[in-house]
C-alpha cells in the first residue's frame, strides 16, 4: 500500500488548529479508502521557533522536507514579529526555492453558504485564480538607504522574466483547457505599467496561440474588481501577477462567502520539489486558541493535495463530505455567522466520510 509522506507545518495563530483538524480528516479519509496511507511529519516552525532561535525555520529546514510528497501548511504571522520577517522566513522561504510558481486558488460558493452578492446563483461563481508565485512584485528586489534621514529612499522592484511569465501563462491556459468552459481572463495593468505589464500581455497573446481551443480575454486589474462583483458569471479561469492575484483572491474569497473556506495550492508542476497546500486565511490572532477557526479552507486544500497526488477519487469523496457539512447551518463557524466550532465541523466531516458508501 502506498504511503504518502506529508510535511505538516502548522505555523502560527489558528494555523495549528486547522492543520491538526486537516491531519485528522486526511487520516480518516485514507482509512476509508483503504488503498493508501499518510505519514505526517510535524515541523513546529514559525513565530515561536523564531523567538527561541532567531529564525523561522532551521537552516537546513528545506532539506528536511525536500523529499516529502507534499507539504500541508497552516499560516505564517505572529503578533510580536514584523510580518515581512515571518513571511520571508517561512512561507516564501519554501515557495520560492521550491519553485512553486503556480499558485492555484479555486473559488466556488459551496452548498449552504451565502454570498454577499444577492443576485448571484451558487453555480454562477466558479473560478480558479492562477497567481504567479515566484517573481513579480514579490521578487524581493529593492533596498532602503538613508534610514531616518529626510533623504530616506526605498524601492521595491517588480521583476518579470520571459521564462517566468511563459511558464505561468502556459500553466493557466492548460488549466483553463481542462475546465468545461475553456475560458481564461488575463489580468494586467499595461496601461499604467508600460514595461513589464506590456511584456506580460505580449507573452499571454503568444501562449494563447498554443491553445486555440481556449478563449481568452484581457482585463485591467481595476476593472477586474468590478467585473468580479457585477458579472461573476463571465469569468472562469483567471491568471494574474503575484500582487494582483493576492488582492483579487481575497475579493474572490469574500464573494464566495468567507475567507475561512478558501484553499490554495502552491504548485511546482514539474515535481522537482514538493508542492505546498494551505488555507489562505492567515493566522487570525483575534480568534486563535478559541477553537472556533473554520477548518474548511484546510480541508479543501487537502482535496487539492489529493488531486496533486493523483488520488482523485479520494479527493472527490473529501469534497463531497465538505459540502455535506457546509450545507448545514448548524455546522457553520462564526466566520459564516454560525456558532459551531472547529471540533464539531471536523467530526462532522469525518462522519460524512465514513458514511459515504459509494
Ligand atoms: C496570501 C497572503 C500572503 C501573501 C501574506 C500572508 C503575506 O495574503 O497568501 O494571499 O500576500 O502572499
Ligand atoms: Mg493574500
Amino acid at each position: 500500500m502506498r504511503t504518502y509522506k506529508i510535511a505538516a507545518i502548522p505555523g502560527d495563530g489558528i494555523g495549528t488548529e486547522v492543520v491538526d483538524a486537516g491531519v485528522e480528516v486526511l487520516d480518516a479519509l485514507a482509512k476509508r479508502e483503504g488503498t493508501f496511507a499518510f505519514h505526517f511529519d510535524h515541523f513546529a516552525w514559525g513565530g515561536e521557533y523564531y523567538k527561541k532561535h532567531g529564525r523561522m525555520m532551521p537552516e537546513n529546514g528545506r532539506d528536511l522536507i525536500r523529499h516529502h510528497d507534499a507539504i500541508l501548511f497552516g499560516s505564517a504571522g505572529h503578533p510580536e514579529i514584523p510580518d515581512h520577517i515571518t513571511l520571508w522566513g517561512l512561507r516564501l522561504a519554501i515557495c520560492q526555492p521550491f519553485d512553486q510558481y503556480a499558485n492555484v486558488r479555486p473559488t466556488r460558493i459551496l452548498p449552504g453558504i451565502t454570498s454577499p452578492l444577492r443576485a448571484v446563483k451558487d453555480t454562477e461563481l466558479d473560478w480558479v485564480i492562477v497567481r504567479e508565485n515566484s517573481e513579480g512584485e514579490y521578487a524581493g528586489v529593492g533596498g532602503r538607504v538613508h534610514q531616518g534621514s529626510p533623504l530616506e529612499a526605498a524601492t521595491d522592484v517588480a521583476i518579470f522574466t520571459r521564462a517566468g511569465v511563459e511558464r505561468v501563462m502556459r500553466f493557466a491556459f492548460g488549466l483553463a483547457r481542462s475546465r468545461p468552459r475553456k475560458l481564461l481572463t488575463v489580468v494586467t495593468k499595461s496601461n499604467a505599467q508600460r514595461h513589464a505589464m506590456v511584456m506580460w500581455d505580449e507573452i499571454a497573446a503568444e501562449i494563447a496561440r498554443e491553445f486555440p481551443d481556449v478563449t481568452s480575454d484581457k482585463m485591467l486589474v481595476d476593472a477586474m474588481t468590478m467585473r468580479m462583483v457585477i458579472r461573476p458569471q463571465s469569468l472562469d479561469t483567471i491568471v494574474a501577477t503575484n500582487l494582483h492575484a493576492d488582492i483579487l483572491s481575497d475579493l474572490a474569497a469574500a464573494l464566495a462567502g468567507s475567507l475561512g473556506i478558501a484553499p490554495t495550492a502552491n504548485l511546482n508542476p514539474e515535481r522537482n520539489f514538493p508542492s505546498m497546500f494551505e488555507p489562505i486565511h492567515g493566522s487570525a490572532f483575534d480568534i486563535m486558541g478559541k477553537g472556533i477557526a473554520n477548518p474548511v479552507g484546510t480541508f479543501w486544500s487537502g482535496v487539492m493535495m489529493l488531486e496533486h497526488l493523483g488520488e482523485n477519487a479520494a479527493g472527490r469523496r473529501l469534497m463531497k463530505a465538505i459540502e455535506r457539512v457546509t450545507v448545514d447551518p448548524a455546522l457553520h463557524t462564526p466566520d459564516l455567522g454560525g456558532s459551531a466550532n472547529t471540533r464539531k465541523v471536523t467530526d462532522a466531516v469525518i462522519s460524512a466520510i465514513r458514511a459515504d458508501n459509494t
Side-chain angles (χ1 to χ4, degrees), residues 56-310:
M56 294 288 288
M57 66 175 180
E59 207 175 335
N60 67 341
R62 277 189 301 273
D63 295 335
L64 302 176
I65 58 176
R66 182 178 304 267
H67 300 294
H68 282 73
D69 293 301
I71 303 162
L72 184 63
F73 191 83
S75 71
H78 193 283
E80 295 155 48
I81 309 171
D83 287 338
H84 64 276
I85 293 182
T86 52
L87 175 67
W88 283 93
L90 191 58
R91 193 171 163 276
L92 292 182
I94 296 172
C95 285
Q96 296 197 349
F98 281 0
D99 213 12
Q100 295 164 349
Y101 63 84
N103 181 222
V104 181
R105 301 185 161 196
T107 308
R108 266 195 304 126
I109 303 174
L110 298 187
I113 306 293
T114 311
S115 164
L117 296 175
R118 269 171 304 157
V120 168
K121 294 191 212 78
D122 290 6
T123 49
E124 291 180 328
L125 196 163
D126 183 354
W127 304 331
V128 187
I129 298 178
V130 177
R131 172 179 179 183
E132 200 296 316
N133 210 33
S134 66
E135 54 177 32
E137 309 86 345
Y138 282 60
V141 174
R144 208 165 153 189
V145 289
H146 304 307
Q147 285 196 44
S149 105
L151 294 176
E152 181 163 359
T155 59
D156 269 299
V157 182
I159 304 286
F160 288 86
T161 63
R162 171 164 279 276
V165 177
E166 279 181 1
R167 66 185 186 173
V168 79
M169 287 296 170
R170 221 168 251 126
F171 180 89
F173 273 95
L175 184 64
R177 172 181 272 173
S178 76
R179 290 168 53 86
R181 292 174 73 191
K182 301 191 196 305
L183 181 64
L184 179 71
T185 299
V186 179
V187 176
T188 184
K189 191 63 195 175
S190 49
N191 53 348
Q193 295 180 301
R194 57 195 178 145
H195 307 294
M197 287 291 89
V198 173
M199 181 180 83
W200 170 269
D201 292 357
E202 282 170 15
I203 294 174
E206 283 165 32
I207 304 295
R209 277 179 234 125
E210 295 172 21
F211 296 84
D213 53 332
V214 174
T215 309
S216 60
D217 64 350
K218 191 171 95 175
M219 201 75 211
L220 296 172
V221 65
D222 47 347
M224 182 67 174
T225 59
M226 286 207 303
R227 181 163 162 196
M228 287 167 73
V229 173
I230 292 166
R231 288 189 299 134
Q233 322 75 348
S234 71
L235 297 163
D236 187 79
T237 310
I238 297 159
V239 63
T241 71
N242 217 328
L243 183 62
H244 290 166
D246 175 42
I247 298 164
L248 295 179
S249 61
D250 268 28
L251 175 59
L255 295 178
S258 170
L259 196 55
I261 290 175
T264 187
N266 301 277
L267 300 179
N268 172 246
E270 290 74 26
R271 295 172 188 262
N272 298 324
F273 299 97
S275 293
M276 182 158 85
F277 302 84
E278 57 173 342
I280 77 169
H281 52 58
S283 7
F285 295 114
D286 50 330
I287 58 162
M288 91 186 235
K290 294 189 178 160
I292 55 167
N294 191 345
V296 168
T298 305
F299 299 159
W300 192 349
S301 302
V303 173
M304 299 185 83
M305 185 176 94
L306 289 157
E307 286 165 357
H308 182 72
L309 295 172

Side-chain angles (χ1 to χ4, degrees), residues 23-75:
V23 166
E24 262 187 72
V25 160
L26 287 166
D27 268 336
L29 180 72
K31 288 212 180 71
R32 172 68 189 76
E33 298 299 320
T35 51
F36 64 88
F38 286 114
H39 171 86
F40 290 96
D41 287 316
H42 296 264
F43 298 91
W45 300 340
E48 292 305 320
Y49 187 95
Y50 181 91
K51 280 165 61 187
K52 278 191 220 111
H53 301 98
R55 46 187 308 142
M56 294 288 288
M57 66 175 180
E59 207 175 335
N60 67 341
R62 277 189 301 273
D63 295 335
L64 302 176
I65 58 176
R66 182 178 304 267
H67 300 294
H68 282 73
D69 293 301
I71 303 162
L72 184 63
F73 191 83
S75 71

